[in-house]
Amino acid sequence: MSSPAELAVSVHGNLEGASPQYLMPAVRPTLTEAKLWCRNLATTHYENFHVATWFLPKAVRPHFESVYAYCRVSDDLGDEVADPQTALRLLDEWGALLDECYDAPAQSRHPVFVALHETIVEHNLPRHLFHDLLAAFRLDQTKTRYESLAELNAYSHDSANPVGRLVLLISGHREESLALLSDKICTALQLANFWQDVVEDWERGRRYLPANLMTQFGVTDDDIAARRFTPHFRALMQHLVTYTREMLLEGSAISQHVDRELATTLDLFRKGGESILDAIAAQDFNTLKSRPEVSKSRKLQLLAGAVWGKLLGARS
């Protein structure tokens, strides 16, 4: 059986310009090989994903890994390519491969789409959720400033919310009421990452702090560029953290309506978002000084709570 590294050897120009590991393989992998490729990507690229999926039923984990692989490659095609025009071309090619996965799956050769097709069929996953993610990553190439929380929420509708909805669908939940609660958690997680990464995003030419609130609180782009922490910046960040925390609280009701194993995973992600907000507050909302980090002890506490939740689920 070919290894994931061997499967990523390109023989033509498809996805040229992407990371070597994402290039089109010379030969279509078997479903087993494709699943292994996705699992390796999921477990080596993002440790927290591997931890969170451990709390899900074993039978659905490969489906989460194939969805994660799609999201990870999509994000990297947009975010890890220096030239915006190259990134846009790669995202268009990736979208065409997605359509091929739906319309002519026998022709798919990329391991992500070979694995993802089984997940799509088994759980009847709508195409538009995957395309919505690509729309957000395309927008990242052209839009670098946001005027309001409404604009950021609209961005999160494509960049974050589809992931939560896919998680629910794979877990057997198709209720729109639950999807709306999931949207709140996913949007809040996206916003928490923005508030955490103010300086890092600025250095990449992006500013996600809403302009209308910056004006309202008396914060300027020059303050961010100079890393000038003022009482105005503190008040702005405190307002944004409160807004985001309330959104996470509203979304937390979802855990009362799903099975304990899924609730444990959703709670783990939600509490991770709350911990980011706590870390911002712990350094007096000064995200210009340094990137707020969740402590190792807090991560272990979250993990211990999730393990306990899984054990309770097993007993019941």
Short mmCIF file of all heavy atoms in Angstrom, two decimals, residues 46 64 67 71 129 133 136 149 152-169 177-195 243-254 262 265-274 276-277:
data_model
loop_
_atom_site.label_atom_id
_atom_site.label_comp_id
_atom_site.label_asym_id
_atom_site.label_seq_id
_atom_site.Cartn_x
_atom_site.Cartn_y
_atom_site.Cartn_z
N TYR A 46 -3.04 19.20 13.56
CA TYR A 46 -3.78 19.93 14.58
C TYR A 46 -4.10 18.99 15.71
O TYR A 46 -5.05 18.23 15.66
CB TYR A 46 -5.07 20.52 13.97
CG TYR A 46 -5.88 21.36 14.91
CD1 TYR A 46 -5.29 22.26 15.78
CD2 TYR A 46 -7.27 21.24 14.93
CE1 TYR A 46 -6.05 23.04 16.63
CE2 TYR A 46 -8.04 22.02 15.79
CZ TYR A 46 -7.42 22.92 16.63
OH TYR A 46 -8.17 23.67 17.48
N PHE A 64 -15.19 12.43 10.20
CA PHE A 64 -14.70 13.72 10.70
C PHE A 64 -13.30 14.00 10.16
O PHE A 64 -12.96 15.15 9.87
CB PHE A 64 -14.69 13.73 12.22
CG PHE A 64 -16.05 13.94 12.83
CD1 PHE A 64 -16.82 12.87 13.23
CD2 PHE A 64 -16.57 15.22 12.97
CE1 PHE A 64 -18.08 13.06 13.78
CE2 PHE A 64 -17.83 15.42 13.51
CZ PHE A 64 -18.59 14.34 13.92
N VAL A 67 -13.61 15.25 6.52
CA VAL A 67 -14.09 16.64 6.49
C VAL A 67 -12.99 17.57 6.97
O VAL A 67 -12.75 18.65 6.39
CB VAL A 67 -15.36 16.80 7.35
CG1 VAL A 67 -15.69 18.27 7.56
CG2 VAL A 67 -16.53 16.09 6.69
N CYS A 71 -11.19 20.75 4.98
CA CYS A 71 -11.10 22.10 5.56
C CYS A 71 -9.64 22.54 5.71
O CYS A 71 -9.30 23.70 5.43
CB CYS A 71 -11.79 22.12 6.92
SG CYS A 71 -13.56 21.79 6.86
N LEU A 129 -22.23 23.67 1.69
CA LEU A 129 -21.46 23.90 2.90
C LEU A 129 -19.97 23.89 2.62
O LEU A 129 -19.21 24.71 3.17
CB LEU A 129 -21.81 22.86 3.96
CG LEU A 129 -23.22 22.93 4.56
CD1 LEU A 129 -23.45 21.79 5.53
CD2 LEU A 129 -23.45 24.27 5.25
N LEU A 133 -17.18 27.43 2.56
CA LEU A 133 -15.84 27.58 3.13
C LEU A 133 -14.88 28.18 2.12
O LEU A 133 -14.09 29.08 2.45
CB LEU A 133 -15.33 26.21 3.60
CG LEU A 133 -15.99 25.64 4.86
CD1 LEU A 133 -15.66 24.16 5.00
CD2 LEU A 133 -15.52 26.39 6.10
N ALA A 136 -15.24 31.93 1.76
CA ALA A 136 -14.57 32.70 2.81
C ALA A 136 -13.08 32.80 2.56
O ALA A 136 -12.48 33.87 2.73
CB ALA A 136 -14.83 32.05 4.17
N LEU A 149 -19.41 44.40 13.25
CA LEU A 149 -19.63 43.03 13.71
C LEU A 149 -20.55 42.29 12.75
O LEU A 149 -20.40 41.07 12.56
CB LEU A 149 -20.22 43.03 15.12
CG LEU A 149 -19.24 43.27 16.27
CD1 LEU A 149 -19.98 43.47 17.58
CD2 LEU A 149 -18.24 42.12 16.38
N LEU A 152 -18.42 40.85 10.14
CA LEU A 152 -17.65 39.72 10.66
C LEU A 152 -18.54 38.49 10.85
O LEU A 152 -18.12 37.36 10.60
CB LEU A 152 -16.99 40.10 11.98
CG LEU A 152 -15.78 41.02 11.87
CD1 LEU A 152 -15.39 41.55 13.24
CD2 LEU A 152 -14.60 40.30 11.23
N ASN A 153 -19.77 38.70 11.30
CA ASN A 153 -20.69 37.59 11.44
C ASN A 153 -21.03 36.97 10.09
O ASN A 153 -21.17 35.74 9.96
CB ASN A 153 -21.97 38.05 12.14
CG ASN A 153 -21.76 38.35 13.61
OD1 ASN A 153 -20.78 37.89 14.21
ND2 ASN A 153 -22.65 39.13 14.20
N ALA A 154 -21.14 37.83 9.05
CA ALA A 154 -21.41 37.33 7.70
C ALA A 154 -20.22 36.52 7.20
O ALA A 154 -20.39 35.48 6.55
CB ALA A 154 -21.71 38.49 6.77
N TYR A 155 -19.01 37.00 7.49
CA TYR A 155 -17.80 36.25 7.12
C TYR A 155 -17.79 34.89 7.81
O TYR A 155 -17.51 33.85 7.20
CB TYR A 155 -16.56 37.05 7.50
CG TYR A 155 -15.27 36.30 7.35
CD1 TYR A 155 -14.65 36.17 6.10
CD2 TYR A 155 -14.66 35.70 8.44
CE1 TYR A 155 -13.46 35.47 5.97
CE2 TYR A 155 -13.48 35.00 8.31
CZ TYR A 155 -12.87 34.88 7.07
OH TYR A 155 -11.70 34.18 6.94
N SER A 156 -18.12 34.88 9.11
CA SER A 156 -18.12 33.63 9.87
C SER A 156 -19.18 32.66 9.37
O SER A 156 -19.03 31.44 9.52
CB SER A 156 -18.35 33.93 11.36
OG SER A 156 -17.33 34.77 11.86
N HIS A 157 -20.25 33.19 8.78
CA HIS A 157 -21.29 32.33 8.19
C HIS A 157 -20.68 31.36 7.19
O HIS A 157 -21.11 30.21 7.07
CB HIS A 157 -22.35 33.20 7.51
CG HIS A 157 -23.40 32.41 6.77
ND1 HIS A 157 -23.22 31.98 5.46
CD2 HIS A 157 -24.62 31.96 7.16
CE1 HIS A 157 -24.30 31.30 5.08
NE2 HIS A 157 -25.15 31.27 6.07
N ASP A 158 -19.65 31.83 6.46
CA ASP A 158 -18.99 30.97 5.48
C ASP A 158 -17.72 30.32 6.03
O ASP A 158 -17.41 29.18 5.68
CB ASP A 158 -18.62 31.79 4.24
CG ASP A 158 -19.83 32.20 3.42
OD1 ASP A 158 -20.91 31.59 3.59
OD2 ASP A 158 -19.72 33.14 2.60
N SER A 159 -16.98 31.03 6.87
CA SER A 159 -15.66 30.55 7.29
C SER A 159 -15.71 29.55 8.43
O SER A 159 -14.80 28.73 8.58
CB SER A 159 -14.78 31.74 7.71
OG SER A 159 -15.25 32.31 8.91
N ALA A 160 -16.74 29.60 9.27
CA ALA A 160 -16.78 28.77 10.48
C ALA A 160 -18.04 27.94 10.61
O ALA A 160 -17.98 26.74 10.92
CB ALA A 160 -16.62 29.67 11.72
N ASN A 161 -19.19 28.55 10.35
CA ASN A 161 -20.46 27.86 10.60
C ASN A 161 -20.65 26.56 9.81
O ASN A 161 -21.24 25.61 10.34
CB ASN A 161 -21.63 28.80 10.34
CG ASN A 161 -21.63 30.00 11.28
OD1 ASN A 161 -20.75 30.13 12.14
ND2 ASN A 161 -22.60 30.87 11.12
N PRO A 162 -20.16 26.48 8.55
CA PRO A 162 -20.34 25.21 7.83
C PRO A 162 -19.70 24.03 8.55
O PRO A 162 -20.21 22.91 8.47
CB PRO A 162 -19.65 25.48 6.48
CG PRO A 162 -19.77 26.96 6.30
CD PRO A 162 -19.60 27.53 7.68
N VAL A 163 -18.61 24.26 9.26
CA VAL A 163 -17.94 23.15 9.95
C VAL A 163 -18.84 22.57 11.03
O VAL A 163 -19.02 21.35 11.13
CB VAL A 163 -16.61 23.62 10.56
CG1 VAL A 163 -15.94 22.49 11.33
CG2 VAL A 163 -15.67 24.15 9.47
N GLY A 164 -19.45 23.45 11.82
CA GLY A 164 -20.36 22.97 12.87
C GLY A 164 -21.56 22.24 12.29
O GLY A 164 -22.00 21.22 12.84
N ARG A 165 -22.09 22.76 11.19
CA ARG A 165 -23.24 22.10 10.57
C ARG A 165 -22.85 20.73 10.02
O ARG A 165 -23.64 19.77 10.10
CB ARG A 165 -23.82 22.99 9.47
CG ARG A 165 -24.56 24.20 10.05
CD ARG A 165 -25.09 25.15 9.01
NE ARG A 165 -25.91 26.18 9.64
CZ ARG A 165 -27.23 26.29 9.52
NH1 ARG A 165 -27.90 25.42 8.75
NH2 ARG A 165 -27.90 27.25 10.13
N LEU A 166 -21.66 20.60 9.46
CA LEU A 166 -21.20 19.30 8.97
C LEU A 166 -21.03 18.32 10.12
O LEU A 166 -21.37 17.13 10.00
CB LEU A 166 -19.88 19.47 8.20
CG LEU A 166 -20.00 20.14 6.84
CD1 LEU A 166 -18.62 20.54 6.30
CD2 LEU A 166 -20.71 19.24 5.83
N VAL A 167 -20.51 18.81 11.25
CA VAL A 167 -20.37 17.95 12.43
C VAL A 167 -21.73 17.40 12.86
O VAL A 167 -21.88 16.21 13.15
CB VAL A 167 -19.71 18.73 13.59
CG1 VAL A 167 -19.84 17.96 14.91
CG2 VAL A 167 -18.23 18.99 13.28
N LEU A 168 -22.74 18.26 12.89
CA LEU A 168 -24.08 17.82 13.28
C LEU A 168 -24.64 16.79 12.29
O LEU A 168 -25.22 15.77 12.70
CB LEU A 168 -25.03 19.01 13.37
CG LEU A 168 -24.83 19.96 14.56
CD1 LEU A 168 -25.79 21.14 14.45
CD2 LEU A 168 -25.05 19.22 15.88
N LEU A 169 -24.46 17.05 11.01
CA LEU A 169 -24.99 16.13 10.00
C LEU A 169 -24.33 14.76 10.10
O LEU A 169 -25.01 13.72 10.01
CB LEU A 169 -24.80 16.72 8.60
CG LEU A 169 -25.65 17.95 8.27
CD1 LEU A 169 -25.20 18.57 6.95
CD2 LEU A 169 -27.13 17.58 8.22
N SER A 177 -32.90 24.01 14.17
CA SER A 177 -32.77 24.66 15.48
C SER A 177 -31.41 24.37 16.11
O SER A 177 -30.79 25.26 16.73
CB SER A 177 -33.89 24.19 16.42
OG SER A 177 -33.85 22.78 16.59
N LEU A 178 -30.93 23.14 15.95
CA LEU A 178 -29.61 22.80 16.47
C LEU A 178 -28.51 23.45 15.63
O LEU A 178 -27.49 23.90 16.17
CB LEU A 178 -29.41 21.28 16.49
CG LEU A 178 -30.32 20.48 17.42
CD1 LEU A 178 -29.91 19.01 17.43
CD2 LEU A 178 -30.28 21.04 18.84
N ALA A 179 -28.71 23.52 14.32
CA ALA A 179 -27.72 24.15 13.45
C ALA A 179 -27.54 25.62 13.81
O ALA A 179 -26.41 26.14 13.79
CB ALA A 179 -28.14 24.01 11.99
N LEU A 180 -28.63 26.29 14.18
CA LEU A 180 -28.53 27.70 14.55
C LEU A 180 -27.75 27.88 15.85
O LEU A 180 -26.99 28.85 16.00
CB LEU A 180 -29.92 28.31 14.67
CG LEU A 180 -30.69 28.45 13.34
CD1 LEU A 180 -32.13 28.89 13.60
CD2 LEU A 180 -29.99 29.43 12.41
N LEU A 181 -27.92 26.97 16.78
CA LEU A 181 -27.13 27.02 18.01
C LEU A 181 -25.66 26.75 17.71
O LEU A 181 -24.77 27.40 18.27
CB LEU A 181 -27.66 26.00 19.03
CG LEU A 181 -29.04 26.30 19.62
CD1 LEU A 181 -29.51 25.13 20.49
CD2 LEU A 181 -29.01 27.59 20.44
N SER A 182 -25.42 25.80 16.83
CA SER A 182 -24.04 25.52 16.41
C SER A 182 -23.41 26.74 15.75
O SER A 182 -22.23 27.04 15.97
CB SER A 182 -24.03 24.33 15.43
OG SER A 182 -22.76 24.17 14.85
N ASP A 183 -24.20 27.45 14.94
CA ASP A 183 -23.69 28.66 14.29
C ASP A 183 -23.17 29.67 15.32
O ASP A 183 -22.14 30.32 15.10
CB ASP A 183 -24.79 29.32 13.46
CG ASP A 183 -25.13 28.55 12.19
OD1 ASP A 183 -24.38 27.63 11.83
OD2 ASP A 183 -26.17 28.89 11.57
N LYS A 184 -23.88 29.80 16.43
CA LYS A 184 -23.46 30.75 17.45
C LYS A 184 -22.10 30.36 18.03
O LYS A 184 -21.22 31.22 18.22
CB LYS A 184 -24.52 30.84 18.56
CG LYS A 184 -25.78 31.58 18.15
CD LYS A 184 -26.69 31.81 19.31
CE LYS A 184 -27.90 32.65 18.89
NZ LYS A 184 -27.52 34.03 18.53
N ILE A 185 -21.92 29.08 18.30
CA ILE A 185 -20.64 28.63 18.85
C ILE A 185 -19.52 28.83 17.83
O ILE A 185 -18.44 29.35 18.16
CB ILE A 185 -20.72 27.15 19.27
CG1 ILE A 185 -21.68 26.99 20.46
CG2 ILE A 185 -19.33 26.61 19.64
CD1 ILE A 185 -21.91 25.55 20.88
N CYS A 186 -19.77 28.44 16.59
CA CYS A 186 -18.72 28.53 15.57
C CYS A 186 -18.35 29.98 15.27
O CYS A 186 -17.17 30.32 15.13
CB CYS A 186 -19.18 27.82 14.30
SG CYS A 186 -19.31 26.03 14.47
N THR A 187 -19.35 30.85 15.17
CA THR A 187 -19.07 32.26 14.94
C THR A 187 -18.28 32.83 16.12
O THR A 187 -17.30 33.58 15.92
CB THR A 187 -20.38 33.06 14.76
OG1 THR A 187 -20.99 32.66 13.53
CG2 THR A 187 -20.11 34.55 14.70
N ALA A 188 -18.68 32.49 17.33
CA ALA A 188 -17.98 32.99 18.51
C ALA A 188 -16.54 32.51 18.54
O ALA A 188 -15.62 33.26 18.91
CB ALA A 188 -18.71 32.57 19.78
N LEU A 189 -16.29 31.25 18.16
CA LEU A 189 -14.92 30.74 18.12
C LEU A 189 -14.09 31.51 17.10
O LEU A 189 -12.92 31.83 17.34
CB LEU A 189 -14.94 29.25 17.79
CG LEU A 189 -15.46 28.32 18.87
CD1 LEU A 189 -15.56 26.89 18.35
CD2 LEU A 189 -14.57 28.37 20.11
N GLN A 190 -14.70 31.81 15.94
CA GLN A 190 -14.00 32.59 14.93
C GLN A 190 -13.65 33.97 15.47
O GLN A 190 -12.52 34.45 15.31
CB GLN A 190 -14.87 32.72 13.68
CG GLN A 190 -14.28 33.57 12.57
CD GLN A 190 -13.18 32.86 11.82
OE1 GLN A 190 -13.43 32.10 10.89
NE2 GLN A 190 -11.93 33.09 12.23
N LEU A 191 -14.60 34.62 16.11
CA LEU A 191 -14.36 35.96 16.65
C LEU A 191 -13.30 35.92 17.75
O LEU A 191 -12.43 36.80 17.82
CB LEU A 191 -15.66 36.54 17.20
CG LEU A 191 -16.77 36.82 16.17
CD1 LEU A 191 -18.01 37.37 16.87
CD2 LEU A 191 -16.30 37.76 15.08
N ALA A 192 -13.36 34.92 18.62
CA ALA A 192 -12.37 34.81 19.69
C ALA A 192 -10.96 34.71 19.11
O ALA A 192 -10.01 35.32 19.64
CB ALA A 192 -12.67 33.59 20.57
N ASN A 193 -10.82 33.98 18.02
CA ASN A 193 -9.51 33.89 17.37
C ASN A 193 -9.07 35.24 16.81
O ASN A 193 -7.89 35.59 16.85
CB ASN A 193 -9.55 32.85 16.25
CG ASN A 193 -9.54 31.43 16.79
OD1 ASN A 193 -8.96 31.16 17.83
ND2 ASN A 193 -10.19 30.52 16.10
N PHE A 194 -10.03 36.01 16.28
CA PHE A 194 -9.69 37.35 15.79
C PHE A 194 -9.19 38.25 16.91
O PHE A 194 -8.20 38.96 16.76
CB PHE A 194 -10.91 38.00 15.12
CG PHE A 194 -11.27 37.42 13.79
CD1 PHE A 194 -12.58 37.52 13.31
CD2 PHE A 194 -10.34 36.78 12.99
CE1 PHE A 194 -12.93 37.00 12.08
CE2 PHE A 194 -10.68 36.25 11.76
CZ PHE A 194 -11.98 36.36 11.31
N TRP A 195 -9.89 38.25 18.05
CA TRP A 195 -9.48 39.11 19.17
C TRP A 195 -8.14 38.65 19.73
O TRP A 195 -7.36 39.48 20.20
CB TRP A 195 -10.52 39.10 20.28
CG TRP A 195 -11.96 39.22 19.88
CD1 TRP A 195 -13.04 38.71 20.55
CD2 TRP A 195 -12.54 39.90 18.75
NE1 TRP A 195 -14.22 39.00 19.93
CE2 TRP A 195 -13.95 39.74 18.81
CE3 TRP A 195 -12.00 40.62 17.67
CZ2 TRP A 195 -14.81 40.27 17.85
CZ3 TRP A 195 -12.87 41.14 16.71
CH2 TRP A 195 -14.24 40.99 16.80
N TYR A 243 -19.33 40.52 24.18
CA TYR A 243 -20.22 40.15 23.08
C TYR A 243 -20.01 38.68 22.68
O TYR A 243 -20.97 37.92 22.49
CB TYR A 243 -19.94 41.07 21.89
CG TYR A 243 -20.65 40.70 20.60
CD1 TYR A 243 -21.95 41.14 20.35
CD2 TYR A 243 -20.01 39.93 19.62
CE1 TYR A 243 -22.60 40.81 19.17
CE2 TYR A 243 -20.65 39.61 18.44
CZ TYR A 243 -21.94 40.05 18.21
OH TYR A 243 -22.57 39.72 17.04
N THR A 244 -18.76 38.28 22.57
CA THR A 244 -18.43 36.92 22.13
C THR A 244 -18.78 35.90 23.20
O THR A 244 -19.28 34.80 22.90
CB THR A 244 -16.94 36.84 21.77
OG1 THR A 244 -16.61 37.89 20.86
CG2 THR A 244 -16.61 35.50 21.12
N ARG A 245 -18.55 36.25 24.44
CA ARG A 245 -18.87 35.33 25.54
C ARG A 245 -20.38 35.07 25.60
O ARG A 245 -20.82 33.94 25.84
CB ARG A 245 -18.37 35.91 26.86
CG ARG A 245 -18.24 34.87 27.97
CD ARG A 245 -17.82 35.51 29.27
NE ARG A 245 -16.49 36.07 29.24
CZ ARG A 245 -15.37 35.38 29.39
NH1 ARG A 245 -15.43 34.07 29.56
NH2 ARG A 245 -14.20 35.98 29.38
N GLU A 246 -21.18 36.10 25.39
CA GLU A 246 -22.63 35.93 25.39
C GLU A 246 -23.08 35.02 24.25
O GLU A 246 -24.01 34.21 24.40
CB GLU A 246 -23.31 37.31 25.27
CG GLU A 246 -23.18 38.15 26.53
CD GLU A 246 -23.73 39.55 26.36
OE1 GLU A 246 -24.09 39.91 25.21
OE2 GLU A 246 -23.79 40.31 27.35
N MET A 247 -22.41 35.12 23.10
CA MET A 247 -22.75 34.26 21.97
C MET A 247 -22.43 32.79 22.29
O MET A 247 -23.21 31.89 21.97
CB MET A 247 -21.99 34.72 20.72
CG MET A 247 -22.46 34.07 19.43
SD MET A 247 -21.57 34.69 17.98
CE MET A 247 -22.13 36.40 17.96
N LEU A 248 -21.30 32.55 22.93
CA LEU A 248 -20.96 31.18 23.33
C LEU A 248 -21.98 30.64 24.33
O LEU A 248 -22.38 29.47 24.26
CB LEU A 248 -19.57 31.16 23.96
CG LEU A 248 -18.37 31.22 23.02
CD1 LEU A 248 -17.08 31.40 23.80
CD2 LEU A 248 -18.29 29.97 22.15
N LEU A 249 -22.41 31.48 25.25
CA LEU A 249 -23.41 31.06 26.24
C LEU A 249 -24.72 30.69 25.57
O LEU A 249 -25.35 29.68 25.90
CB LEU A 249 -23.62 32.18 27.25
CG LEU A 249 -24.64 31.88 28.36
CD1 LEU A 249 -24.21 30.67 29.19
CD2 LEU A 249 -24.82 33.10 29.27
N GLU A 250 -25.15 31.49 24.61
CA GLU A 250 -26.39 31.20 23.89
C GLU A 250 -26.28 29.87 23.14
O GLU A 250 -27.22 29.07 23.13
CB GLU A 250 -26.70 32.33 22.90
CG GLU A 250 -27.09 33.64 23.57
CD GLU A 250 -27.16 34.79 22.59
OE1 GLU A 250 -26.93 34.55 21.38
OE2 GLU A 250 -27.41 35.93 23.03
N GLY A 251 -25.14 29.63 22.53
CA GLY A 251 -24.96 28.39 21.78
C GLY A 251 -24.83 27.15 22.65
O GLY A 251 -25.07 26.03 22.18
N SER A 252 -24.47 27.34 23.93
CA SER A 252 -24.22 26.18 24.80
C SER A 252 -25.45 25.32 25.01
O SER A 252 -25.34 24.15 25.38
CB SER A 252 -23.70 26.66 26.16
OG SER A 252 -24.71 27.39 26.86
N ALA A 253 -26.63 25.87 24.73
CA ALA A 253 -27.86 25.09 24.90
C ALA A 253 -27.90 23.86 24.00
O ALA A 253 -28.65 22.92 24.26
CB ALA A 253 -29.07 25.98 24.61
N ILE A 254 -27.07 23.83 22.96
CA ILE A 254 -27.07 22.70 22.04
C ILE A 254 -26.74 21.39 22.75
O ILE A 254 -27.24 20.32 22.38
CB ILE A 254 -26.09 22.95 20.87
CG1 ILE A 254 -26.33 21.94 19.75
CG2 ILE A 254 -24.64 22.90 21.35
CD1 ILE A 254 -25.51 22.23 18.50
N LEU A 262 -21.42 13.43 21.72
CA LEU A 262 -21.32 14.63 20.90
C LEU A 262 -21.29 15.88 21.77
O LEU A 262 -20.52 16.81 21.50
CB LEU A 262 -22.48 14.70 19.91
CG LEU A 262 -22.50 15.94 19.00
CD1 LEU A 262 -21.22 16.05 18.19
CD2 LEU A 262 -23.72 15.90 18.08
N THR A 265 -17.83 16.61 23.02
CA THR A 265 -16.97 17.22 22.01
C THR A 265 -17.33 18.69 21.79
O THR A 265 -16.44 19.56 21.74
CB THR A 265 -17.08 16.45 20.68
OG1 THR A 265 -16.65 15.10 20.90
CG2 THR A 265 -16.20 17.08 19.62
N LEU A 266 -18.61 18.98 21.68
CA LEU A 266 -19.04 20.37 21.47
C LEU A 266 -18.68 21.24 22.67
O LEU A 266 -18.24 22.39 22.50
CB LEU A 266 -20.55 20.41 21.22
CG LEU A 266 -21.06 19.69 19.97
CD1 LEU A 266 -22.58 19.79 19.87
CD2 LEU A 266 -20.40 20.24 18.71
N ASP A 267 -18.84 20.68 23.87
CA ASP A 267 -18.48 21.44 25.07
C ASP A 267 -16.98 21.71 25.12
O ASP A 267 -16.55 22.78 25.57
CB ASP A 267 -18.90 20.68 26.33
CG ASP A 267 -20.40 20.73 26.58
OD1 ASP A 267 -21.06 21.59 25.96
OD2 ASP A 267 -20.89 19.92 27.38
N LEU A 268 -16.19 20.75 24.64
CA LEU A 268 -14.73 20.92 24.65
C LEU A 268 -14.32 22.10 23.76
O LEU A 268 -13.51 22.95 24.16
CB LEU A 268 -14.05 19.64 24.19
CG LEU A 268 -12.53 19.59 24.28
CD1 LEU A 268 -12.08 19.77 25.73
CD2 LEU A 268 -12.01 18.27 23.73
N PHE A 269 -14.91 22.17 22.58
CA PHE A 269 -14.60 23.29 21.69
C PHE A 269 -15.12 24.61 22.27
O PHE A 269 -14.43 25.64 22.23
CB PHE A 269 -15.20 23.04 20.31
CG PHE A 269 -14.38 22.11 19.46
CD1 PHE A 269 -14.87 20.87 19.09
CD2 PHE A 269 -13.12 22.48 19.03
CE1 PHE A 269 -14.10 20.01 18.31
CE2 PHE A 269 -12.34 21.63 18.26
CZ PHE A 269 -12.84 20.39 17.88
N ARG A 270 -16.34 24.58 22.80
CA ARG A 270 -16.91 25.83 23.34
C ARG A 270 -16.08 26.33 24.52
O ARG A 270 -15.76 27.53 24.60
CB ARG A 270 -18.35 25.58 23.78
CG ARG A 270 -18.99 26.80 24.45
CD ARG A 270 -20.44 26.52 24.83
NE ARG A 270 -20.58 25.35 25.66
CZ ARG A 270 -20.35 25.32 26.98
NH1 ARG A 270 -19.95 26.43 27.60
NH2 ARG A 270 -20.53 24.21 27.68
N LYS A 271 -15.72 25.43 25.41
CA LYS A 271 -14.93 25.84 26.57
C LYS A 271 -13.53 26.29 26.15
O LYS A 271 -12.92 27.14 26.81
CB LYS A 271 -14.86 24.70 27.58
CG LYS A 271 -16.19 24.43 28.26
CD LYS A 271 -16.12 23.23 29.19
CE LYS A 271 -17.48 22.95 29.84
NZ LYS A 271 -17.45 21.74 30.70
N GLY A 272 -13.04 25.75 25.04
CA GLY A 272 -11.78 26.24 24.51
C GLY A 272 -11.90 27.70 24.10
O GLY A 272 -11.00 28.51 24.35
N GLY A 273 -13.03 28.05 23.46
CA GLY A 273 -13.27 29.44 23.11
C GLY A 273 -13.39 30.33 24.34
O GLY A 273 -12.84 31.44 24.37
N GLU A 274 -14.09 29.85 25.36
CA GLU A 274 -14.21 30.61 26.59
C GLU A 274 -12.85 30.81 27.24
O GLU A 274 -12.57 31.88 27.81
CB GLU A 274 -15.15 29.88 27.56
CG GLU A 274 -16.61 29.87 27.12
CD GLU A 274 -17.48 29.00 28.00
OE1 GLU A 274 -16.91 28.24 28.82
OE2 GLU A 274 -18.72 29.08 27.88
N ILE A 276 -9.99 31.09 25.68
CA ILE A 276 -9.30 32.16 24.94
C ILE A 276 -9.75 33.52 25.46
O ILE A 276 -8.93 34.42 25.71
CB ILE A 276 -9.57 32.05 23.43
CG1 ILE A 276 -8.89 30.80 22.86
CG2 ILE A 276 -9.06 33.30 22.70
CD1 ILE A 276 -9.24 30.54 21.41
N LEU A 277 -11.05 33.69 25.64
CA LEU A 277 -11.58 34.96 26.16
C LEU A 277 -11.07 35.21 27.57
O LEU A 277 -10.74 36.35 27.94
CB LEU A 277 -13.10 34.94 26.13
CG LEU A 277 -13.74 34.76 24.75
CD1 LEU A 277 -15.26 34.72 24.87
CD2 LEU A 277 -13.31 35.85 23.79
#
